[in-house]
Amino acid sequence: MSSELTDIKSLSIDELTKELTDRLEVQKFRAKQIYEWLHKKLVTDFDDMSNISKELKNKLKENYYITKLEPVQVLTSKIDGTQKYLFKLSDGNVIESVLMKYKFGNSVCISSQVGCRMGCRFCASTLDGLERSLRPSEMLDEIYRIQSLTGERVSNVVIMGSGEPFDNYDNIVKFLDLLTDENGLNISQRNVTVSTCGLVPRILELAKRQLQITLAISLHAPNDELRRTMMPIANKYSIDEILHACKVYYENTKRRITFEYSLVQGVNDTMECAEELIHRLRGMNCHVNLIPVNPIKERDYKQSFAKDIEKFKNRLEKNGINVTIRREMGRDIQGACGQLRKSYLES
Ligand code: SAH
């Protein structure tokens, strides 16, 4: 891809309109048409924009390129129909995305970076560090390709794949604008979740935007000491600081916060941990999502016993906390973050 060309799919409709009217002296309504070709009809080639003149197509090709991810592998779970997609980016890097089919609609879990630099001990995405962040167009195309390949509408998006979204904050905000734009896929903000390991300043920044997006916090431990053994980011921000930022987010958006808690056998699944967690979350309008840890071969963490998971859940519930146990989807297709990419790179 020539470097002078602009990434047209990362431009908002206002930016595109400005670009096309100022730079190419195109009429305004054309910008809207082109935006719809890219973000509603999901074309990946200027030649497929059938109501655009040949002359304008040529001008577009001289100035812009259209990001297109290439599917290199698609795995379908025999257990629950979950699909895992491995996509190749134009620079040869690969990323993974997951399609989960629920009664309420299709949900896509996207990656926000190639690799990750957060270093969480249970996570496969971070084992080789961060390669680079994804551009808005690349994150969008994870969803666009899946919708085109399946022919089914995607109604929910979770930014819970590889990478730390708030380590790619500007591009995430841009991506959210494009994803929820009424001229594009028009996904409701309420159907979007962004999951973070807890970069406090970014949580506060997002809170200021007052979007209706669900914020999910990867907590995984009820105290800083234990959290530091699982997640290096805990050395930088305390749970108190995170919970304060969550309160601000809630005050600004009235959106209930989700806390993710991956249960690791003998590490964070004891009744003492449950009690401490209850104490910490008391009075917050929140929801706890328990995730039985998906063991990766590079680390010694084991999944909690089913009876301990149940006990943990019951204890929280008895104390008035909303809890769900995340259904394990796609266990047979390397469902955990970053597992598929890693095995692809190693083969
Ligand atoms: N960086 C973001 C998004 C990453 S992954 C974040 O930290 O939230 C989404 C969730 O899956 C996070 O809660 C993450 O901690 C968790 N996770 C990652 N690998 C896991 C594994 N092997 N087993 C269970 N949960 C895992």
Side-chain angles (χ1 to χ4, degrees), residues 98-131:
V98 185
L99 167 67
M100 292 158 289
K101 296 188 175 195
Y102 295 104
K103 283 191 212 82
F104 59 77
N106 286 353
S107 180
V108 171
C109 172
I110 65 154
S111 294
S112 55
Q113 297 181 311
V114 183
C116 184
R117 57 177 179 154
M118 294 298 127
C120 299
R121 204 169 136 189
F122 40 81
C123 182
S125 304
T126 200
L127 290 167
D128 298 323
L130 176 68
E131 184 64 37

Coordinates of all heavy atoms in Angstrom, one line a residue, residues 98-131:
V98 N -14.0 -13.1 16.7 CA -14.9 -14.2 17.1 C -16.3 -13.8 16.8 O -16.7 -12.7 17.2 CB -14.7 -14.6 18.5 CG1 -15.6 -15.9 18.8 CG2 -13.3 -14.9 18.9
L99 N -17.1 -14.7 16.2 CA -18.5 -14.5 16.0 C -19.3 -15.4 16.9 O -19.1 -16.6 16.9 CB -18.9 -14.8 14.5 CG -20.4 -14.9 14.2 CD1 -21.1 -13.5 14.4 CD2 -20.7 -15.4 12.8
M100 N -20.1 -14.8 17.7 CA -20.9 -15.6 18.6 C -22.4 -15.4 18.3 O -22.8 -14.3 18.2 CB -20.7 -15.2 20.1 CG -19.3 -15.6 20.6 SD -18.7 -14.7 22.0 CE -18.5 -13.0 21.3
K101 N -23.1 -16.5 18.1 CA -24.6 -16.4 17.8 C -25.4 -16.6 19.0 O -25.3 -17.6 19.7 CB -24.9 -17.4 16.7 CG -24.2 -17.2 15.4 CD -24.7 -18.1 14.3 CE -23.9 -17.7 13.0 NZ -24.6 -18.3 11.9
Y102 N -26.2 -15.6 19.4 CA -27.1 -15.6 20.5 C -28.5 -15.5 20.0 O -28.7 -15.1 18.9 CB -26.8 -14.5 21.5 CG -25.4 -14.5 22.1 CD1 -24.4 -13.7 21.7 CD2 -25.1 -15.4 23.2 CE1 -23.1 -13.7 22.3 CE2 -23.9 -15.4 23.8 CZ -22.9 -14.5 23.4 OH -21.7 -14.5 24.0
K103 N -29.4 -15.8 20.9 CA -30.8 -15.6 20.6 C -31.1 -14.2 20.2 O -31.9 -13.9 19.3 CB -31.7 -16.0 21.7 CG -31.8 -17.5 21.9 CD -33.0 -17.9 22.9 CE -32.6 -19.1 23.6 NZ -31.7 -18.9 24.8
F104 N -30.5 -13.2 20.9 CA -30.8 -11.8 20.6 C -30.1 -11.2 19.4 O -30.3 -10.1 19.0 CB -30.5 -11.0 21.9 CG -29.0 -11.0 22.3 CD1 -28.0 -10.3 21.7 CD2 -28.7 -11.8 23.4 CE1 -26.7 -10.4 22.1 CE2 -27.4 -11.9 23.9 CZ -26.4 -11.2 23.2
G105 N -29.2 -12.0 18.8 CA -28.5 -11.6 17.6 C -27.0 -12.0 17.5 O -26.6 -12.7 18.4
N106 N -26.4 -11.5 16.5 CA -25.0 -11.9 16.3 C -24.0 -10.9 17.0 O -24.2 -9.7 16.8 CB -24.6 -12.0 14.8 CG -25.2 -13.3 14.2 OD1 -25.8 -14.1 14.9 ND2 -25.1 -13.4 12.9
S107 N -23.1 -11.4 17.7 CA -22.2 -10.6 18.4 C -20.7 -10.9 17.9 O -20.4 -12.0 17.8 CB -22.3 -10.9 19.9 OG -21.4 -10.1 20.7
V108 N -20.0 -9.8 17.6 CA -18.6 -10.0 17.2 C -17.7 -9.5 18.2 O -17.8 -8.4 18.7 CB -18.4 -9.4 15.8 CG1 -16.9 -9.4 15.5 CG2 -19.1 -10.1 14.7
C109 N -16.7 -10.3 18.6 CA -15.6 -9.8 19.5 C -14.4 -9.5 18.7 O -13.9 -10.3 17.9 CB -15.3 -11.0 20.5 SG -13.9 -10.7 21.5
I110 N -14.0 -8.2 18.8 CA -12.9 -7.8 17.9 C -11.6 -7.6 18.7 O -11.6 -7.3 19.9 CB -13.2 -6.5 17.1 CG1 -13.4 -5.3 18.1 CG2 -14.4 -6.7 16.3 CD1 -13.1 -4.0 17.5
S111 N -10.5 -7.7 18.0 CA -9.2 -7.3 18.5 C -8.9 -5.8 18.3 O -9.4 -5.3 17.3 CB -8.0 -8.1 17.7 OG -8.1 -9.4 18.0
S112 N -8.2 -5.2 19.2 CA -7.9 -3.8 19.0 C -6.5 -3.5 18.8 O -6.1 -2.4 18.4 CB -8.4 -3.0 20.3 OG -7.8 -3.6 21.4
Q113 N -5.6 -4.5 19.0 CA -4.2 -4.4 18.7 C -3.7 -5.7 18.1 O -4.3 -6.7 18.3 CB -3.4 -4.0 19.9 CG -3.8 -2.7 20.6 CD -3.0 -2.4 21.8 OE1 -2.9 -3.2 22.7 NE2 -2.4 -1.2 21.9
V114 N -2.5 -5.7 17.5 CA -1.8 -6.9 17.1 C -0.9 -7.2 18.3 O 0.0 -6.4 18.6 CB -0.9 -6.7 15.9 CG1 -0.3 -8.1 15.5 CG2 -1.8 -6.2 14.7
G115 N -1.3 -8.2 19.1 CA -0.5 -8.5 20.3 C -1.0 -7.5 21.4 O -2.0 -6.8 21.3
C116 N -0.3 -7.4 22.5 CA -0.7 -6.6 23.6 C 0.6 -6.4 24.5 O 1.4 -7.3 24.6 CB -1.8 -7.3 24.4 SG -2.4 -6.3 25.8
R117 N 0.6 -5.2 25.2 CA 1.8 -5.0 26.1 C 1.4 -5.0 27.5 O 2.2 -4.5 28.4 CB 2.6 -3.8 25.7 CG 1.7 -2.5 25.7 CD 2.7 -1.4 25.3 NE 1.9 -0.1 25.3 CZ 2.4 1.1 25.5 NH1 3.7 1.2 25.8 NH2 1.6 2.1 25.4
M118 N 0.2 -5.5 27.9 CA -0.2 -5.3 29.3 C 0.3 -6.5 30.2 O 0.4 -6.3 31.4 CB -1.8 -5.3 29.3 CG -2.4 -4.0 28.7 SD -1.8 -2.5 29.5 CE -1.2 -1.6 28.2
G119 N 0.6 -7.6 29.6 CA 1.3 -8.6 30.3 C 0.5 -9.4 31.3 O 1.1 -10.1 32.2
C120 N -0.8 -9.5 31.2 CA -1.6 -10.3 32.1 C -1.2 -11.7 32.1 O -1.0 -12.3 31.0 CB -3.1 -10.1 31.8 SG -3.7 -8.4 31.9
R121 N -1.1 -12.3 33.2 CA -0.5 -13.6 33.3 C -1.2 -14.8 32.7 O -0.6 -15.8 32.4 CB -0.2 -13.9 34.8 CG 0.9 -14.8 35.0 CD 1.3 -14.9 36.5 NE 1.5 -16.3 36.9 CZ 1.7 -16.7 38.1 NH1 1.7 -15.8 39.1 NH2 1.9 -17.9 38.3
F122 N -2.5 -14.6 32.6 CA -3.4 -15.7 32.1 C -3.6 -15.6 30.6 O -4.3 -16.5 30.0 CB -4.7 -15.7 32.8 CG -5.2 -14.3 33.1 CD1 -5.9 -13.7 32.0 CD2 -5.0 -13.6 34.2 CE1 -6.3 -12.4 32.2 CE2 -5.4 -12.3 34.4 CZ -6.0 -11.7 33.4
C123 N -3.1 -14.6 30.0 CA -3.6 -14.2 28.6 C -2.6 -14.6 27.6 O -1.4 -14.2 27.7 CB -3.9 -12.7 28.6 SG -4.6 -12.2 27.0
A124 N -3.0 -15.2 26.5 CA -2.2 -15.6 25.4 C -1.8 -14.4 24.5 O -0.7 -14.5 23.8 CB -2.8 -16.7 24.6
S125 N -2.6 -13.4 24.4 CA -2.4 -12.3 23.5 C -1.1 -11.5 23.8 O -0.5 -10.9 22.9 CB -3.5 -11.3 23.5 OG -4.7 -11.9 23.3
T126 N -0.7 -11.6 25.0 CA 0.4 -10.7 25.5 C 1.8 -11.4 25.5 O 2.8 -10.8 25.7 CB 0.0 -10.1 26.9 OG1 0.8 -9.0 27.1 CG2 0.2 -11.2 28.0
L127 N 1.8 -12.7 25.2 CA 3.0 -13.5 25.4 C 4.2 -13.0 24.5 O 5.3 -13.0 24.9 CB 2.7 -15.0 25.0 CG 1.8 -15.7 26.0 CD1 1.4 -17.1 25.5 CD2 2.6 -15.9 27.4
D128 N 3.8 -12.5 23.3 CA 4.9 -11.9 22.4 C 4.9 -10.4 22.4 O 5.5 -9.8 21.5 CB 4.8 -12.4 21.0 CG 4.9 -14.0 20.9 OD1 5.7 -14.5 21.7 OD2 4.2 -14.6 20.2
G129 N 4.2 -9.8 23.4 CA 4.2 -8.3 23.4 C 3.4 -7.7 22.4 O 2.6 -8.3 21.7
L130 N 3.5 -6.3 22.2 CA 2.7 -5.6 21.3 C 3.4 -5.4 20.0 O 4.6 -5.1 19.9 CB 2.4 -4.2 21.8 CG 1.7 -3.2 20.9 CD1 0.2 -3.7 20.7 CD2 1.7 -1.8 21.5
E131 N 2.7 -5.7 18.9 CA 3.3 -5.5 17.5 C 2.9 -4.1 17.1 O 3.8 -3.3 16.8 CB 2.7 -6.6 16.6 CG 3.3 -6.6 15.2 CD 4.7 -6.9 15.1 OE1 5.2 -7.8 15.9 OE2 5.4 -6.3 14.2

